[in-house]
Amino acid sequence: MHKIKLLIILILSLGIQTNLKAETWDEPWQKEIIQKAEYFVLANVIELDSTGVLLEILQNFGQNKLPDKILINGFSLLKLRSSSGQGVHYDFEKGQKLYFLLTKNEDGNFAIPTPTSGFAVLDEENNVYATYRHSYHQALIPKDIYEMTYQAIWNYYHKLEYDKNSVMEFINEQIKKEPAGFEENEISTFFLQHASLETAYLLDIPIELSRIEKFANSDNFHSKVSSVQLMSLLDDLVTKEYLFEFIQSDNNDNFEKVIAIRSLKNIGGKEYNNKLKEIANTLSDEETGFGGSIMDPRVATSFPTPREAVKETK
């Protein structure tokens, strides 16, 4: 039981563990990372030195061809917010197997988005420390589920066909269940529900409010965020009203409300954008964010207060 609780803390609250403390940066969301990546691979870390990270490509999930061995020696989406001058480094281990989302550098080598994003560790038990939303919020997913969902997501954003039947079967199977919690007998189901809701969002698959409302009404932060985010794909009056009430409810925290505000702004049109402006001053203006350790270099990741979110422009 102690091991399970520790796993939940590490994966859900702090995300990637790292010893990179000297610099801080604004961590991108996973959707942007997938959209901008040029390669999706499974690789083995052969060597780490001052030149970068040497990888052996084990599997290429994209259409762009790669040599058997490549070098990572840069970062494609790194936006430093503070620097001690020590620079940023890679936090991998020789012999590790990881999935990477890569872009190609001008020198012919490759880059990950930031030192803490664009990769997912494959452990010895064939489970993946997967990111669907943001590197702060990870889930432990079986290898076959990760590859099935991520192949679909990758193909969708790179204008390729994907197996819609398998994806929908997985999503439907998970969301028909009651929202799972973090207890030992529930955590595996929770991770799969998280993956299913986030996959539906990334694939722009609308799921009826009646089927996902139970997740937004639960006391599980991650399920609430995933479900109200997914509501951004439902352009109907009932969903708009649900989100508007969700934003004003004391039962929901600032992070959840910000996601709900963004969803409502996406589907609400002029009417609900005006309604949000009318209640803006009643919404919290206290700083919110991803939490986690203040020593985490991603601490500079920007995230608005609910009041600020109303004023956001795309």
Side-chain angles (χ1 to χ4, degrees), residues 299-310:
V299 71
T301 300
S302 61
F303 195 80
T305 68
R307 194 178 302 176
E308 290 169 342
V310 172

Side-chain angles (χ1 to χ4, degrees), residues 12-211:
L12 297 179
S13 300
L14 302 183
I16 297 164
Q17 296 304 292
T18 175
N19 58 13
L20 304 168
K21 300 176 182 177
E23 326 300 306
T24 64
W25 52 81
D26 188 346
E27 187 86 317
W29 292 70
Q30 193 71 0
K31 184 175 182 178
E32 178 186 4
I33 290 171
I34 297 166
Q35 288 173 325
K36 294 182 176 179
E38 299 168 338
Y39 304 87
F40 174 34
V41 301
L42 173 63
N44 177 48
V45 177
I46 300 174
E47 198 63 65
L48 296 89
D49 56 31
S50 59
T51 63
V53 184
L54 184 63
L55 300 178
E56 174 192 12
I57 303 300
L58 303 176
Q59 191 171 353
N60 185 350
F61 296 93
Q63 289 192 319
N64 294 332
K65 292 184 178 180
L66 285 169
D68 293 337
K69 295 180 181 179
I70 64 171
L71 181 71
I72 293 176
N73 66 347
F75 304 102
S76 58
L77 295 175
L78 184 61
K79 299 176 183 177
L80 288 175
R81 294 296 186 235
S82 65
S83 176
S84 65
Q86 295 183 29
V88 292
H89 308 280
Y90 303 97
D91 199 33
F92 304 123
E93 297 177 5
K94 186 175 179 179
Q96 254 186 331
K97 292 181 180 179
L98 307 99
Y99 296 90
F100 287 96
L101 293 164
L102 304 170
T103 55
K104 198 167 190 178
N105 296 328
E106 291 182 0
D107 64 2
N109 293 314
F110 296 83
I112 54 176
T114 73
T116 47
S117 67
F119 57 87
V121 176
L122 175 64
D123 70 16
E124 294 179 354
E125 298 177 350
N126 267 344
N127 291 311
V128 182
Y129 291 78
T131 300
Y132 289 87
R133 181 194 300 150
H134 194 278
S135 69
Y136 262 119
H137 299 159
Q138 295 187 325
L140 192 62
I141 300 294
K143 180 178 186 287
D144 61 335
I145 298 296
Y146 176 82
E147 290 188 359
M148 183 268 292
T149 56
Y150 249 82
Q151 185 71 78
I153 294 164
W154 175 264
N155 284 10
Y156 178 71
Y157 284 104
H158 293 82
K159 312 300 181 185
L160 303 169
E161 292 296 317
Y162 68 89
D163 186 350
K164 296 181 175 65
N165 290 334
S166 294
V167 170
M168 286 309 305
E169 184 178 343
F170 167 67
I171 291 171
N172 289 332
E173 180 183 356
Q174 300 309 318
I175 65 175
K176 72 181 181 182
K177 302 173 185 176
E178 288 304 306
F182 300 151
E183 295 301 322
E184 187 171 2
N185 63 338
E186 295 181 273
I187 187 64
S188 294
T189 300
F190 161 73
F191 284 143
L192 292 173
Q193 289 180 331
H194 173 82
S196 66
L197 291 167
E198 293 292 330
T199 294
Y201 170 71
L202 289 170
L203 291 176
D204 292 322
I205 297 173
I207 307 294
E208 296 91 337
L209 179 65
S210 60
R211 300 178 66 201

Side-chain angles (χ1 to χ4, degrees), residues 268-285:
K270 185 175 180 181
E271 178 184 357
Y272 280 89
N273 274 274
N274 287 336
K275 284 188 173 185
L276 286 171
K277 291 176 183 177
E278 289 171 2
I279 66 167
N281 288 336
T282 69
L283 300 176
S284 173
D285 203 29

